[in-house]
């Protein structure tokens, strides 16, 4: 699936508020869907590149021989899920914001994994 289709699929996840496909090397988003006045996905995408870079630096410092599947940030009303894409596209991640009251986190992670497997960039 292409980027637009992947973003539409992600927005169909129950509770989805916004989604972006982001290159964490540049901080630029390759596409966004959703968001709104209170959720500027371009700013969030750029900011979350720092989260990913920081975690990768820590893993390197600790000499962890592992990879990040996803990073979860829980807020009182939202989940922010950062799903790093597989090694062939190792500088990309999907960033999904979910309404915590409506979302099922386990299902959202499952759907993002499926979207990742079908995504062609």
């Amino acid at each position: 699936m292409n980027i637009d289709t992947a973003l539409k699929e992600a927005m169909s996840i129950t509770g989805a508020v916004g989604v972006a496909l982001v290159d964490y090397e540049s901080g630029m988003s390759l596409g966004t869907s959703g968001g709104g006045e209170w959720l500027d996905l371009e700013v969030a995408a750029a900011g979350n590149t720092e989260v990913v870079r920081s975690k990768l630096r820590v893993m390197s410092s600790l000499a962890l021989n592992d990879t990040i599947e996803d990073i979860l940030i829980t807020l009182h009303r939202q989940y922010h899920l950062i799903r790093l894409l597989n090694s062939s596209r190792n500088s990309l991640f999907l960033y999904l914001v979910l309404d915590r009251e409506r979302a099922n986190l386990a299902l959202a992670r499952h759907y993002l994994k499926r979207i990742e497997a079908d995504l062609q960039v």
Side-chain angles (χ1 to χ4, degrees), residues 22-91:
V22 185
D23 179 344
Y24 66 77
E25 288 181 356
S26 69
M28 302 296 292
S29 65
L30 300 168
T32 63
S33 183
E37 288 181 24
W38 61 270
L39 177 60
D40 184 332
L41 286 167
E42 295 293 332
V43 172
N48 281 299
T49 61
E50 293 304 317
V51 172
V52 172
R53 290 175 188 162
S54 177
K55 186 59 186 172
L56 290 171
R57 278 192 304 271
V58 169
M59 289 176 65
S60 177
S61 296
L62 294 172
L64 297 178
N65 187 20
D66 209 344
T67 58
I68 298 171
E69 252 184 55
D70 42 44
I71 298 168
L72 173 64
I73 300 167
T74 58
L75 305 177
H76 290 289
R77 292 182 298 231
Q78 300 167 3
Y79 294 123
H80 290 232
L81 188 57
I82 299 168
R83 171 94 191 171
L84 274 71
L85 292 140
N86 68 33
S87 60
S88 68
R89 301 176 294 246
N90 63 358
S91 67

